[in-house]
Amino acid sequence: MHTPIETVIVNAKVRTMDPNRPFATAVAVGHGAILAVGSDAEIRELAGGAEVIDLDGAALVPGITDSHVHPLMGALDARGADLLDAFTWDDVLAGVRAEAEGKGPDEWVIGWGLLYDAFEGREIRAELIEEAAGGRPTFLKFMDFHTGLASRRALELAGIHGPIVFTENAEVICDPDGTPTGEVREWAAIAMVEGAMPELTHAQKLDHYHRQMREFAKVGITSIHGMDGSLETHDVLHELEASGRLITRLTMPFWITPEMPESEWPAFLPHKDAHGRRWRGGTAKFFIDGVIDTGTAWLYAPDSEGEGLLPFWPDPAKYRRAVKTFAEAGFACTTHACGDRGVREALDAYRDAGAWPGIRHRIEHIETLQDFDLPRFAAEGVVASMQTQHMMWLDPGRRCNWTTRMGDARCDRAFPTRSLWESGAHVTLGSDWPVARFDPRIGMASAQLRHAPGNGKEPFDDQALTGLQALMGYTVNPAYTISEEHRLGRIKVGYCADLTAFAEDPATCPPEDLVGNPIRLTMVDGEVVYRG
């Protein structure tokens, strides 16, 4: 049966990312699919009574995919004071004061995006924030969401009075006398503080999720590879889709944590093929280490503070068994690995799990990498998932927390995006929001500049990608990563009608100008979810 054309997009500079027809000027869409690609005349002839969208010369590209986002968790965690741009301690205190203003004495003051370098050499302690918050219970999450700073009142409400032993590599930082300083590291410790905070209702959470998807659409994002999820997440996605509020295409994993008993793993396996029209499962997410800034990344050699020699999973053998269990069940595995030793452990686990047709495992972050492990990505078919926005916090003069901890030799191997690309590895790009801004224009710019656009810094190194490579990292390569290159990532007949229009072609727009390159249209599954 002939699929009717519902929408035609004309007067566009279409970059299809299809090598058989790289460019066009018009596209026809119907029932969520691309039905025709061609010239304005060809497509107008097919239009009939379809809606006509005239892009007035804007650049139309395949729908932008962010390959590393915490979309549901972020919608709830990125609330309160936004501290991502608070680069000095005075900026942080101003943000806390503004968030505290007007709150009752027992209301929580929360914030996110706190930068390690914003402390300007100060020790991370509760008393630093208590006056600004007016004595209210206060909890600030750092930009990487692996560390939190709680006020003394917040610690008291959470029942934290001294050191706590966790089953994973987490810690409540304490003074020598056992008094908590206010710093909590990694998920289990952070969760204790969060457990004392007021809980949102289910309806409020759904509203936050939908509101956040609208924000994604405003910057051209049509699809996201999520990085945290559970069986309950599938219920949420079913509910959002049934109510018409799932306006972002989502790939959501099951997060398999170190403390989860092996006896619980089989419960996830029957849900590998769970999906809706705009969402799917089929992936499993693991953390093998933490982050470099707090010394929890797993390194071959210790950092400048003598840290970095422990994995996030206390028993790496259990991590390898988890990878094998899910890989053999047909899941694509995703592992967070910032440190070079963590990357090696993930590569080894994937290799030992064996190759399975159509399954592409991936490693997230790869902030430092040994030369002898670099060629393994291409040779073993492992996708390198990179977040070049994170380089905005790196100082080319190597005086920031990250570079000081790493030392010169490892700084020479920082975020090796181009080296991985040139080795033949598939490199997919993303933001890690809410760790960094989710705007893909920042992501594509930073991949080319090796620093955030507009910050006046020199490039950190010579690992820059080209404009076209950066666009591939947000279109073609994400589709390949999830084994959906047959239906996503190109403007091609039969592919999903996920489309993004920029005022200028992002592949040729100067990277410093990308952030100011307006989004004209975002279409997901044939539905216009944003018009600029």
Side-chain angles (χ1 to χ4, degrees), residues 2 21 31 52 54 78 80-81 113 126 145 172-173 213 228 264 326 344 358 370 382 461 495 502 510:
H2 178 68
R21 183 167 192 169
H31 198 59
V52 178
D54 188 326
F145 285 80
V172 172
I173 305 300
M213 290 180 200
D228 55 87
E264 294 184 11
F326 282 87
R344 175 67 178 272
Q370 293 285 339
V382 177
D461 53 26
Y495 278 51
F502 296 79

Side-chain angles (χ1 to χ4, degrees), residues 63-77:
I64 295 296
T65 296
D66 188 315
S67 293
H68 189 119
V69 178
H70 302 268
L72 305 187
M73 183 199 82
L76 305 182
D77 281 353

Side-chain angles (χ1 to χ4, degrees), residues 167 255-270 286 313-326 328:
T167 56
W255 181 13
I256 310 303
T257 61
E259 70 275 12
M260 184 183 292
E262 293 185 43
S263 60
E264 294 184 11
W265 297 346
F268 296 97
L269 305 185
F286 312 91
W313 282 61
D315 180 7
K318 181 182 176 184
Y319 160 73
R320 291 191 291 271
R321 291 195 299 273
V323 167
K324 189 172 181 64
T325 296
F326 282 87
E328 288 182 343

Side-chain angles (χ1 to χ4, degrees), residues 9-15 24-25 54-61 500-506 517-521:
I9 302 171
V10 298
N11 194 14
K13 297 174 182 174
V14 183
R15 182 181 286 274
T25 60
D54 188 326
L55 283 184
D56 193 26
L60 189 69
V61 302
T500 304
F502 296 79
E504 294 184 49
D505 186 344
N517 186 7
I519 304 298
R520 299 300 190 204
L521 174 76

Side-chain angles (χ1 to χ4, degrees), residues 110-378:
I110 59 175
W112 61 285
L114 183 59
L115 306 178
Y116 293 95
D117 286 319
F119 284 83
E120 301 172 322
R122 298 173 177 85
E123 187 179 357
I124 299 172
R125 300 191 65 87
E127 50 265 34
L128 291 177
I129 57 174
E130 292 181 334
E131 182 180 349
R136 298 170 180 87
T138 304
F139 191 47
L140 307 180
K141 293 182 181 178
F142 281 66
M143 37 69 70
D144 54 20
F145 285 80
H146 286 258
T147 303
L149 176 57
S151 68
R152 285 172 289 197
R153 189 168 174 204
L155 292 170
E156 181 180 332
L157 291 171
I160 298 174
H161 306 292
I164 296 172
V165 177
F166 296 98
T167 56
E168 62 188 62
N169 186 15
E171 186 177 7
V172 172
I173 305 300
C174 295
D175 287 326
D177 65 358
T179 303
T181 65
E183 181 182 359
V184 291
R185 293 183 182 177
E186 298 301 342
W187 305 106
I190 291 170
M192 289 193 67
V193 182
E194 289 183 319
M197 296 166 57
E199 176 73 10
L200 294 172
T201 67
H202 181 65
Q204 287 173 325
K205 290 179 181 179
L206 292 178
D207 287 343
H208 279 291
Y209 300 151
H210 177 60
R211 189 178 303 122
Q212 185 54 51
M213 290 180 200
R214 291 170 59 188
E215 295 302 310
F216 292 146
K218 288 178 182 178
V219 296
I221 293 174
T222 63
S223 180
I224 276 170
H225 297 176
M227 287 294 135
D228 55 87
S230 64
L231 287 170
E232 290 72 25
T233 301
H234 288 185
D235 296 333
V236 168
L237 297 177
H238 274 300
E239 189 170 356
L240 285 169
E241 188 158 56
S243 64
R245 289 185 286 176
L246 190 63
I247 62 171
T248 306
R249 191 180 300 278
L250 297 177
T251 299
M252 295 296 290
F254 293 133
W255 181 13
I256 310 303
T257 61
E259 70 275 12
M260 184 183 292
E262 293 185 43
S263 60
E264 294 184 11
W265 297 346
F268 296 97
L269 305 185
H271 301 275
K272 175 183 73 70
D273 297 321
H275 70 281
R277 182 177 175 93
R278 294 182 182 176
W279 69 272
R280 52 158 283 189
T283 62
K285 171 72 184 296
F286 312 91
F287 280 77
I288 194 59
D289 69 358
V291 292
I292 286 169
D293 283 286
T294 60
T296 56
W298 196 9
L299 304 170
Y300 278 104
D303 63 17
S304 63
E305 302 300 311
E307 298 177 317
L309 298 180
L310 296 174
F312 181 72
W313 282 61
D315 180 7
K318 181 182 176 184
Y319 160 73
R320 291 191 291 271
R321 291 195 299 273
V323 167
K324 189 172 181 64
T325 296
F326 282 87
E328 288 182 343
F331 283 78
C333 294
T334 300
T335 299
H336 165 118
C338 291
D340 48 13
R341 177 69 187 277
V343 173
R344 175 67 178 272
E345 182 71 20
L347 289 169
D348 287 352
Y350 295 163
R351 179 199 60 202
D352 295 346
W356 299 88
I359 297 175
R360 290 162 186 156
H361 303 314
R362 53 193 283 177
I363 298 177
E364 309 301 307
H365 308 307
I366 317 169
E367 294 189 6
T368 183
L369 177 66
Q370 293 285 339
D371 291 341
F372 54 77
D373 284 327
L374 189 146
R376 294 184 61 187
F377 283 82

